[in-house]
Amino acid sequence: MDYKLLMEIKNLHFSFDGKQEILSDISLPLYERDYLVIMGPNGGGKTTLLKCMLGLLKAQSGKIVYHNIKRSEFGYVPQFTTFDKLMPLRVYDFIEMGLISEYHPFKRRNNDNKYLIEKQLDAFSLNDLAYSSISEISGGQLQRALLARALIQNPKVLFLDEPTTFIDSESRGNLSEILKNLNKNIAIVMITHDTSAVDDHVKNIACVNRTLYYHGRDEHIEGSLEKVYGCPIELIGHGLPHRVLKEHK
């Protein structure tokens, strides 16, 4: 089956000071219903690349071309470390923030919005926590709330930045299943430095450490991982070591 091209990164270069490049000559496509994991060590430019894809940062050269999609059709789950869990918000209100673009200063909240919020609470098993403060819930529950907020407007692409950090193994398993089901309808882009976060249903892997060493999913990935991480390494799926050599059917 042929999938529509959603986004093209073409020869992208990025630096914050105009001197030391954070990203060098990155070229990468993204298709509808793709499940792309961008892997690499901490400090290798993965989050910077994600922010360029989201339109939050502008590259010094190269370009990102959007096809059949608008940036308003993106959903974004940030890193836990960039999120203030102590903000005084209930889970219900936190999910409602995903509808912020729908609000107008002279427009009352309507029943449609209430329905959408309650639908997300149900979909992510958060009904019992709807009126709990986000400062009181677990890491796994917060991850589900972040997903509910990002998905409330039915985006075409879901971006996740290090989503498995600070959650336990059970929550990781739940997240894996959620993403697998979401990928039936939308594209997913996940940033991670953790090779254990790569599941069998991931469709493409990009190895990035300032430049792009590899894109795809075949027998060449093992050598690329060694170059990116600087040491021999193998992928881990579902908690069991195994080398990913060919696409899983």
Side-chain angles (χ1 to χ4, degrees), residues 21-176:
E21 280 196 325
I22 305 299
L23 296 169
S24 176
D25 198 24
I26 304 289
S27 294
L28 196 63
L30 179 71
Y31 294 89
E32 62 180 359
R33 299 188 198 173
D34 199 352
Y35 191 149
L36 171 66
V37 171
I38 301 176
M39 301 178 62
N42 288 326
K46 302 183 305 299
T47 294
T48 300
L49 176 58
L50 181 73
K51 289 182 178 179
C52 288
M53 295 173 78
L54 287 165
L56 300 176
L57 292 175
K58 183 176 176 59
Q60 273 62 51
S61 64
K63 59 184 178 179
I64 297 179
V65 182
Y66 301 103
H67 302 271
N68 307 297
I69 196 169
K70 298 175 289 187
R71 283 186 290 189
S72 60
E73 295 174 305
F74 294 161
Y76 174 45
V77 177
Q79 288 188 41
F80 273 45
T81 53
T82 63
F83 171 73
D84 183 7
K85 194 180 176 183
L86 296 179
M87 66 173 67
L89 276 178
R90 303 175 303 174
V91 171
Y92 185 101
D93 302 316
F94 180 69
I95 294 172
E96 187 178 26
M97 290 172 63
L99 293 169
I100 193 89
S101 62
E102 298 292 311
Y103 291 148
H104 186 279
F106 302 110
K107 183 179 177 182
R108 291 185 177 180
R109 299 179 181 182
N110 57 47
N111 288 330
D112 288 342
N113 287 348
K114 181 179 179 182
Y115 166 76
L116 290 173
I117 298 164
E118 291 178 348
K119 182 179 177 183
Q120 293 300 89
L121 287 167
D122 185 58
F124 290 94
S125 303
L126 293 168
N127 290 299
D128 293 342
L129 299 170
Y131 299 104
S132 298
S133 169
I134 58 170
S135 64
E136 299 171 349
I137 63 178
S138 71
Q141 291 164 342
L142 176 57
Q143 187 64 269
R144 298 204 307 272
L146 285 163
L147 282 166
R149 184 183 67 168
L151 293 164
I152 196 166
Q153 294 196 66
N154 295 315
K156 288 185 178 180
V157 184
L158 176 65
F159 294 88
L160 306 103
D161 195 354
E162 300 282 4
T164 61
T165 306
F166 303 122
I167 61 175
D168 59 31
S169 58
E170 181 181 356
S171 297
R172 284 188 178 209
N174 292 336
L175 175 63
S176 173

